[in-house]
Amino acid sequence: MTESTNELSGKRVLLGITGGIAAYKAAEFARLVVKSGADLQVVMTTAACGFVTPVTMQALSGNPVFTDMWDSRVPNNMAHIELSRDRDLIVVAPASADFIAKLAAGFADDLLSALCLARRSPLAVAPAMNVEMWSHPATQRNIARIRADGVAILGPALGEQACGESGMGRMLEASELFAEVVSALAPKVLEGKRVLVTAGPTYEPIDTVRGITNQSSGKMGYAVAQAASEAGAQVTLVSGPTALPAPASVERVSVVTARAMYDAVMARVKKTDVFIAVAAVADYHVVGVRDRKIKRQAGNLKLELAPNKDILGTVAAGRNAPFCVGFAAETENLKAYAQQKRRNKRIPLLAANLAQDAFGRDDNALTLFDDTGEHVLDRAPKIVLARQLIAHVAGMLLKPK
Ligand code: CTP
């Protein structure tokens, strides 16, 4: 999901590294940032250089690394100003307890703390420290203070620590940090909007241990929820059974059956500006679900199936309906079926894909159908397609009706 996707193309990021064993994760994080098309400037404290070398970070970032306030490569001796001016975001990872204390107090006695004080760009820190240091009242005071000053705190996470202890204080993994940075820098095209997304398969029980489901992994719907959240929306994700973690800042409502999904959506639709139905909802449920396991018997076993309500169709037909987006997974005749489906459901936008291209995979290819025609989104990771879809939705919302 994080490989060569140009997600940060044109962005200018400054990575500050302070002294801590988690500095090794900063090297991987730097690689992801550069691979995504950003220009990366690395600044390290003296203590950080004891854990990873400036040579490593220079090789990964492709830019000279700065460690000293008086670096003669900056002609006016104002490295703390020069380096902080043209950046879209400054991320300090790992941020040690000591560095967080300096930020809270406004110290500026080395290059990194001085440029954080002199900056105009947003600042995010990824704390990394021993569990006792993290939970110490002094650190918690400092965290509360820098948060109040507008600094974004990324993590920390719970888990095993390099010191052998276990608890809160582990730095986020490089891929998690990267996702946070992408999110922080995403254009906020859905700011203030409430978005409701359905995702995953549904499961229709036959008896207490068996049921009917489908091969939807939920990955596309989860990616759409993440992309909407990155775009500044308040997102609720009504999800059928999947093993996927909920994207950060997204409220997840877990359901099993199509009828439960219908109820969960209907309970929230009035407070929804945009409804995106990505779930592969079962078209039928079993009539007379047995309350015990059905035993093998001679001859055929008949199941009676009754139709489920069309969630998207019902939402779209309602009074004051939100802006509705449907998904269609076809196995053939993509264009004709998709156009037909959009008309039948009376929705402004439908995203269509070939089921055999999409189910269970991390990438996909989508074609968007709206009143202006079709828009092909080339094969890409689902999160990239989801961001393109959200940008398209935002564009349509802006157009006068
Ligand atoms: N959908 C829904 N509620 C249902 C069935 C589908 O909200 N009970 C939504 C899906 O989330 C998707 C779109 O409707 O956005 C799919 O349309 P649909 O016509 O139901 O697709 P298929 O079930 O694939 O239809 P068909 O089997 O006729 O191809």
Side-chain angles (χ1 to χ4, degrees):
M1 155 175 156
T2 48
E3 301 293 312
S4 12
T5 48
N6 291 329
E7 288 156 300
L8 296 179
S9 171
K11 297 293 181 193
R12 299 173 69 78
V13 177
L14 188 144
L15 169 63
I17 307 179
T18 72
I21 184 60
Y24 81 92
K25 293 186 190 173
E28 174 66 8
F29 170 68
R31 196 185 68 81
L32 294 174
V33 171
V34 170
K35 206 161 184 174
S36 71
D39 177 81
L40 182 66
Q41 174 64 63
V42 177
V43 173
M44 299 171 71
T45 63
T46 308
C49 298
F51 291 91
V52 285
T53 71
V55 176
T56 308
M57 298 313 299
Q58 177 163 334
L60 290 169
S61 67
N63 280 321
V65 171
F66 288 81
T67 57
D68 181 8
M69 187 109 92
W70 315 115
D71 196 309
S72 59
R73 285 172 295 180
V74 183
N76 61 2
N77 266 354
M78 295 270 187
H80 61 297
I81 306 288
E82 292 290 309
L83 295 175
S84 69
R85 280 297 168 265
D86 64 346
R87 296 287 135 181
D88 296 300
L89 180 69
I90 298 175
V91 187
V92 180
S96 64
D98 178 65
F99 189 78
I100 289 167
K102 282 167 74 168
L103 278 182
F107 283 175
D109 61 352
D110 64 5
L111 177 59
L112 187 57
S113 54
L115 76 83
C116 285
L117 201 61
R119 78 186 196 279
R120 289 189 184 135
S121 41
L123 171 63
V125 300
M129 65 197 74
N130 166 269
V131 53
E132 300 302 338
M133 293 171 82
W134 171 252
S135 52
H136 194 284
T139 303
Q140 289 304 310
R141 255 194 327 268
N142 292 334
I143 286 286
R145 171 167 280 187
I146 65 171
R147 186 177 274 131
D149 289 345
V151 177
I153 317 291
L154 312 179
L158 202 66
E160 265 179 42
Q161 303 198 309
C163 54
E165 295 182 3
S166 175
M168 196 63 121
R170 256 174 80 97
M171 191 170 93
L172 295 187
E173 298 305 321
S175 59
E176 295 171 313
L177 267 186
F178 177 74
E180 294 278 0
V181 168
V182 170
S183 179
L185 291 173
K188 303 296 174 225
V189 289
L190 290 185
E191 187 88 72
K193 299 281 184 218
R194 292 158 306 180
V195 175
L196 184 62
V197 180
T198 63
T202 60
Y203 176 91
E204 306 300 327
I206 297 171
D207 63 17
T208 47
V209 293
R210 304 182 182 94
I212 301 172
T213 186
N214 60 64
Q215 291 187 29
S216 167
S217 64
K219 287 177 184 167
M220 192 68 225
Y222 275 58
V224 167
Q226 182 182 327
S229 172
E230 287 172 6
Q234 186 188 320
V235 183
T236 303
L237 174 64
V238 178
S239 172
T242 76
L244 300 172
S249 315
V250 166
E251 182 204 6
R252 176 168 54 182
V253 179
S254 297
V255 296
V256 175
T257 64
R259 282 172 292 171
M261 186 173 274
Y262 179 92
D263 291 343
V265 167
M266 290 310 155
R268 290 165 178 84
V269 77
K270 271 202 187 119
K271 291 187 177 159
T272 298
D273 300 303
V274 178
F275 176 54
I276 310 180
V278 197
V281 187
D283 288 325
Y284 298 91
H285 65 271
V286 178
V287 176
V289 175
R290 319 305 199 272
D291 60 3
R292 64 195 56 145
K293 191 177 160 206
I294 302 172
K295 301 304 280 180
R296 186 206 296 264
Q297 59 192 36
N300 294 350
L301 172 70
K302 283 206 174 122
L303 287 180
E304 188 185 348
L305 301 177
N308 286 325
K309 287 190 222 164
D310 180 350
I311 305 171
L312 175 60
T314 311
V315 171
R319 261 204 289 153
N320 299 323
F323 182 91
C324 286
V325 183
F327 265 72
E330 307 293 349
T331 50
E332 59 198 341
N333 297 337
L334 184 70
K335 198 168 160 178
Y337 284 154
Q339 294 281 30
Q340 187 63 39
K341 215 165 259 186
R342 192 174 83 87
R343 276 193 293 273
N344 289 348
K345 304 228 183 199
R346 297 177 185 199
I347 52 175
L349 181 62
L350 184 122
N353 52 204
L354 287 168
Q356 56 271 38
D357 274 4
F359 275 42
R361 296 178 58 142
D362 288 332
D363 62 359
N364 194 5
L366 279 183
T367 307
L368 307 184
F369 295 89
D370 62 16
D371 276 344
T372 65
E374 65 178 270
H375 311 267
V376 176
L377 307 183
D378 290 334
R379 178 163 288 287
K382 287 180 174 174
I383 184 63
V384 174
L385 292 174
R387 290 187 186 120
Q388 292 170 345
L389 171 69
I390 292 298
H392 196 89
V393 169
M396 288 180 77
L397 288 176
L398 280 177
K399 282 200 188 125
K401 291 203 179 120

